Amino acid sequence: MPRLIKFLFCYLLVSLLSGCGYNAMQASDEQVKAAWSEVLNQYQRRADLIPNLVSTVKGYAAHEQAVLTQVTEARARVGSVSLNADQLGDEAAVKRFQQAQGELSSALSRLLVVTENYPQLKADSLFKDLLTQLEGTENRIAVARGRYVKAVQDYNVLIRQFPQAITAKIFGYQPKANFSVENEAAISSAPKVDFGAPPAQPAQ
């Protein structure tokens, strides 16, 4: 008899949790984590390309040290601002991560503008290959970021709906931070690779 009571209690508990969206929250939370892992994977892929890119540019434009340093320092800042899936509820931490990535994107854009002044560099096969990889990585970042945005949106909507909101409160499910509008705009523009564009004029 005690076993039957225990079984019925467990069955009732599982039924209540399922009906209140617990399983859906678990699945949605895992989806957000998977989407974020892919975002990090693509950002890491970009970071891994940068040392070779900087080294190649330095071979032709060693005196453009200021721009090369900016890129290297921006990459270092990106490496020091980690953000794992368990921190996605911390909006300030997400903003710091986005800002670091945005600074790296801006530094890369400045580097590519500088390369317009070096025809021999633009003809270098290694440089061309690195730019192709960079463009592909930026596209992958955009796709991964879009999937993360959608996963977070679905998750946040789920835990705010009734009766799931009650279950979320009981089990400690919190809303997760998404890309903010200004940061999304800052990092969603891939560095432009346009060999026909005129070189930028230095600021006076």
Side-chain angles (χ1 to χ4, degrees), residues 97-114:
F97 179 87
Q98 292 175 340
Q99 183 176 2
Q101 294 294 344
E103 289 173 358
L104 181 53
S105 288
S106 296
L108 280 171
S109 294
R110 288 191 292 274
L111 177 66
L112 294 177
V113 167
V114 163

Side-chain angles (χ1 to χ4, degrees), residues 27-100:
S28 186
D29 187 46
E30 289 302 318
Q31 183 62 39
V32 170
K33 290 177 180 177
W36 183 248
S37 294
E38 183 58 20
V39 170
L40 293 181
N41 181 48
Q42 296 306 330
Y43 276 136
Q44 184 60 51
R45 188 173 187 272
R46 178 172 72 171
D48 291 343
L49 284 171
I50 289 171
N52 286 336
L53 184 65
V54 169
S55 178
T56 303
V57 173
K58 191 180 291 185
Y60 289 89
H63 61 283
E64 301 284 1
Q65 194 58 49
V67 177
L68 295 169
T69 299
Q70 285 174 356
V71 174
T72 303
E73 289 178 349
R75 181 183 182 273
R77 282 193 293 275
V78 161
S80 67
V81 182
S82 61
L83 185 68
N84 61 48
D86 294 329
Q87 297 173 293
L88 293 175
D90 185 344
E91 193 169 343
V94 173
K95 182 173 277 190
R96 285 193 297 272
F97 179 87
Q98 292 175 340
Q99 183 176 2

